[in-house]
Amino acid sequence: MKKLFLLTAALSLVNIHAIAQTYAVHSLPEIPLWPDKMPDASGARGPEVNNQGSLTHISTPRLIVHRPETPNGVAVLVISGGGYAHIETGKESGPAAEWLVSKGITAFELIYRLPQEGWETPYVPFEDGQRALRMIRAHAAEYAVDPHKIGILGFSAGGHLAGMVASVPDKVFYKPVDAVDGISAKPDFAGLIYPVISMLPPNDTTHSQKSILGKHPSMAEESEFSVEKQVKAGMPPVFLAQASDDPIASIDNSLLMFSALRKSGIPAELHIFQQGGHGWGMGKPGTETSSWPDLFQDWMQANGFR
């Protein structure tokens, strides 16, 4: 009986801990990206679907705010992947945001619209990405953030979105809706983790490419949304990490991006892991991919963002 009591008590503590964690996640403050008029609206209006941290049917694009107890002035916009078909918050942006908070960095987790959910244009993720950077700067004082130390961190398709925002921050994806759209959408640094970069052959086989450009895009469209083709002087410093055996986004994505950055004189650091595959988030325990967060932290510090 005593052992049963102790086991029951232990399970109760586990359940309480789980409930507390769930409550903490759902009680985080959120900032709607479009308080009034949302551009190219029409799409998903039913309830948002959360399948174990994978989100679809996004009708309310927003920022989930993760605040450290003692902020150091640095902020990062964190963007999950999912082939632009879903958003892997449970495996990517959520854990990454909590890790950033442990380092004193304020993290803003982006919940963005998905291109194939009935919107007036498939380019809504880029509208939300630009708007997110502007909203963070608009709220910088409120969250004790230095407006000149705001970075962007993207995984997989989120890496493509982060790369596009970083490389073409002035590209007009939507008509301004309020004063916030007069604020710069350019991040001060960018981290791209196993990113989708190129949509040109032979790297035109990803789900991300099909979600954004459809089944039969022109070469001009593929080039316009290939991040390596948008790189130019003035782009912020970039950190890249990818596994050479990535079966989803070929390592050529990071190699093309690094080469383009180097040719344009943009400070960049590339880490290629021998093994790791794709979708490892904060890194698979016991593998070399688990070293990327520390490498990213060192890189931020070396570039004056810590």
Side-chain angles (χ1 to χ4, degrees), residues 241-279:
Q242 192 165 13
S244 61
D245 63 349
D246 192 324
I248 304 298
S250 164
I251 187 61
D252 291 334
N253 283 273
S254 287
L255 295 174
L256 286 167
M257 186 65 179
F258 184 77
S259 178
L261 292 164
R262 183 170 171 271
K263 288 177 181 177
S264 293
I266 309 300
E269 184 166 306
L270 168 61
H271 293 274
I272 300 176
F273 303 118
Q274 183 173 331
Q275 295 180 318
H278 190 83

Side-chain angles (χ1 to χ4, degrees), residues 81-195:
Y84 287 119
H86 53 101
I87 303 176
E88 286 290 348
T89 62
K91 295 180 180 178
E92 295 174 340
S93 59
E98 288 305 306
W99 172 76
L100 289 164
V101 164
S102 75
K103 305 302 178 183
I105 297 169
T106 305
F108 295 84
E109 197 176 350
L110 178 61
I111 309 301
Y112 54 95
R113 288 173 289 170
L114 298 169
Q116 299 302 317
E117 291 192 339
W119 306 99
E120 294 173 18
T121 170
Y123 305 149
V124 288
F126 310 112
E127 297 177 352
D128 292 345
Q130 285 187 337
R131 178 73 176 189
L133 260 297
R134 290 169 174 147
M135 289 294 285
I136 294 171
R137 283 205 170 89
H139 289 269
E142 177 183 347
Y143 292 103
V145 166
D146 183 336
H148 302 295
K149 291 186 177 181
I150 299 174
I152 193 167
L153 174 64
F155 300 83
S156 191
H160 180 265
L161 177 49
M164 286 294 292
V165 172
S167 60
V168 290
D170 299 323
K171 184 179 177 67
V172 180
F173 281 105
Y174 65 94
K175 294 180 180 179
V177 300
D178 56 26
V180 171
D181 289 324
I183 299 173
S184 173
K186 180 182 176 181
D188 296 294
F189 60 95
L192 310 180
I193 313 302
Y194 47 90

Side-chain angles (χ1 to χ4, degrees), residues 177-227:
V177 300
D178 56 26
V180 171
D181 289 324
I183 299 173
S184 173
K186 180 182 176 181
D188 296 294
F189 60 95
L192 310 180
I193 313 302
Y194 47 90
V196 173
I197 294 293
S198 184
M199 294 195 167
L200 287 161
N203 298 299
D204 57 344
T205 59
T206 63
H207 199 291
S208 299
Q209 199 253 20
K210 293 175 176 60
S211 294
I212 293 295
L213 300 181
K215 294 182 179 179
H216 304 291
S218 67
M219 189 71 74
E221 289 172 321
E222 290 178 327
S223 182
E224 182 181 2
F225 287 90
S226 291
V227 183

